[in-house]
Amino acid sequence: MLSLGVAGQAQASEPYAKQVISSVVLTGNVGNSSSNPLDTLGAPDSKFLAMGGPGASIVLDMGDTPIVDGSGPDIEIREIGSATGGVDEEYRVLISDSTDPASFVLVGTGSAFSLLDISATGLSSARYVRIEDLSTATSNSSTPGSDIESVTSLHSGNGSLAPVTGLAYSVTNNGIRLSWNPMTGSGVLGYSIRKSLDGVRFDSTANWTLSDLDTAFLDNQATQAIQNIQPQVVGDLWYGVSVRYSGGESALQIVHVSSLTTSLYTQVEHLGDNTMATWQVPSPTTKLTLNLYLPAVPRGPFVKLNFDLFDVDNSTNRVVINGHAQRTLPVQSAESWQGKSMVFESGLFLQGNNTIEIHSRDSGGGSTGNLDDFQIRDISLTRLDP
């Protein structure tokens, strides 16, 4: 067994890896210029171990600040590929209270900055962390494999790089506003903000970098053109805020912006003008009208209409909100069900009663020619939870 410690080593009570118990570091195809396992110890400091690719591993000792099962994520792993000019890469994380290789329990896989919850492992705490490289993306570079910078226990110890406090959010008509308490001291350089769609993986390169004077930030989604909005923008989001110090970067503090999805119509409906004997609903109708009651105008700049589509051939079929704002129903020409979404401005919806109309059209956009026959089901509306 190999036990190493010193470079970047955390002090007692600091929540970082304190010792390397063992490691297998590979060279990739052209050598490895960042092969020192000690660079994973201590607080985030831009030093890292390039593990080398599949087959590489490292076991770290958290010492007096073990990984503890607390509320939310319990362990932060920083893989800094894209932040150093490379790519963010994937790895596997296991934990144990013993160095016996057979005792380690899988926590999960991560990539880039990952925040993982150990509750499913059955362990209330664990002193040792094993990271196994899964990446083949950089085998031909001088820093092959996952680039591990640091491991942080999120519920034990007191780090010298204090995290941000008082993090909160509000939903505005323009987007998501974050706020936090100011961090003081000569070593504070500013703040980094990252956005995630799952609350686990955050890019190693910050989405936004702010100065030390900033104590709030607006993710101004309203400035984005509607045609460029990806469907997943409307839905649950996680923001991670860290403090940038002259000596490194604090652990991420996370806020979860939740969403609400309202089911509007679960049945299968056939729109068009031809009888399709083999379909679930053979006989068609030309228009589907849905009624929706909203207690208030949706917060945030956008809402998302979700549905499953079957055999939509024309790009002229229409969705109409409250009698105006015609939009094109997505094409889905396969004779199978596929999930699709459309994004609409929140201001198209009213407090109280709303109508959503879905129209079948012919290839020229008319309503009297050979209409497009398609099926639609499981229609729902997703909006941000204020």
Side-chain angles (χ1 to χ4, degrees):
M1 179 182 296
L2 172 67
S3 294
L4 296 172
V6 174
Q9 186 169 348
Q11 302 300 310
S13 82
E14 290 192 329
Y16 314 114
K18 297 175 176 63
Q19 191 173 42
V20 177
I21 298 300
S22 63
S23 64
V24 177
V25 180
L26 305 180
T27 59
N29 295 333
V30 297
N32 189 338
S33 63
S34 298
S35 59
N36 188 354
L38 298 179
D39 286 335
T40 61
L41 301 181
D45 57 5
S46 298
K47 297 178 181 178
F48 63 89
L49 165 68
M51 296 187 68
S57 64
I58 187 169
V59 176
L60 298 170
D61 182 0
M62 302 301 294
D64 61 347
T65 56
I67 309 302
V68 176
D69 184 16
S71 175
D74 307 308
I75 180 172
E76 178 190 89
I77 310 289
R78 293 200 174 200
E79 193 281 330
I80 60 171
S82 68
T84 56
V87 297
D88 291 336
E89 298 173 87
E90 191 173 33
Y91 47 86
R92 182 185 292 119
V93 180
L94 306 95
I95 58 172
S96 176
D97 242 350
S98 165
T99 57
D100 179 358
S103 69
F104 280 83
V105 181
L106 178 66
V107 178
T109 58
S111 80
F113 285 23
S114 288
L115 302 176
L116 300 174
D117 189 335
I118 72 168
S119 59
T121 67
L123 297 175
S124 59
S125 67
R127 176 170 173 170
Y128 302 101
V129 178
R130 177 182 174 92
I131 302 173
E132 299 175 348
D133 199 354
L134 300 176
S135 176
T136 59
T138 54
S139 298
N140 293 318
S141 79
S142 61
T143 54
S146 295
D147 303 320
I148 304 300
E149 178 190 23
S150 63
V151 176
T152 304
S153 175
L154 298 178
H155 298 301
S156 62
N158 297 296
S160 57
L161 305 179
V164 73
T165 62
L167 181 60
Y169 82 90
S170 59
V171 180
T172 75
N173 290 335
N174 290 326
I176 310 300
R177 184 182 187 275
L178 306 177
S179 61
W180 55 88
N181 296 330
M183 303 295 289
T184 59
S186 59
V188 177
L189 302 179
Y191 306 91
S192 293
I193 300 176
R194 294 170 172 86
K195 183 161 66 172
S196 170
L197 299 179
D198 61 10
V200 174
R201 182 197 181 281
F202 294 80
D203 289 345
S204 60
T205 302
N207 297 99
W208 301 278
T209 301
L210 309 181
S211 80
D212 61 318
L213 300 177
D214 292 298
T215 58
F217 170 77
L218 176 66
D219 182 5
N220 191 349
Q221 300 169 353
T223 61
Q224 304 173 55
I226 188 72
Q227 62 267 24
N228 294 329
I229 294 299
Q230 297 299 314
Q232 63 265 31
V233 167
V234 183
D236 284 32
L237 294 171
W238 287 259
Y239 292 86
V241 180
S242 60
V243 186
R244 292 181 294 108
Y245 292 93
S246 56
E249 186 177 353
S250 76
L252 296 178
Q253 294 297 294
I254 307 302
V255 66
H256 175 202
V257 182
S258 60
S259 62
L260 300 171
T261 297
T262 302
S263 177
L264 305 179
Y265 197 79
T266 59
Q267 300 167 238
V268 176
E269 196 69 44
H270 171 187
L271 276 69
D273 59 0
N274 289 308
T275 299
M276 312 294 284
T278 61
W279 282 14
Q280 287 176 262
V281 179
S283 300
T285 183
T286 61
K287 179 179 75 171
L288 173 63
T289 300
L290 306 174
N291 296 306
L292 168 66
Y293 179 84
L294 293 174
V297 175
R299 298 298 300 274
F302 303 114
V303 300
K304 182 173 66 172
L305 189 67
N306 317 288
F307 36 71
D308 292 341
L309 294 177
F310 182 100
D311 195 20
V312 181
D313 296 317
N314 292 348
S315 60
T316 53
N317 301 303
R318 292 288 184 259
V319 177
V320 182
I321 308 298
N322 289 325
H324 64 105
Q326 296 186 31
R327 298 283 164 76
T328 299
L329 189 73
V331 171
Q332 197 295 93
S333 57
E335 291 194 20
S336 61
W337 289 104
Q338 291 186 16
K340 296 288 183 179
S341 299
M342 298 177 66
V343 173
F344 294 88
E345 298 91 339
S346 296
L348 298 175
F349 291 83
L350 308 173
Q351 180 179 5
N353 295 318
N354 294 264
T355 60
I356 301 173
E357 299 174 356
I358 302 171
H359 297 259
S360 174
R361 295 293 189 179
D362 61 30
S363 59
S367 60
T368 58
N370 181 23
L371 302 184
D372 188 11
D373 282 274
F374 62 90
Q375 295 183 105
I376 188 168
R377 70 179 184 188
D378 291 341
I379 305 170
S380 63
L381 187 75
T382 298
R383 62 194 191 276
L384 292 176
D385 184 357

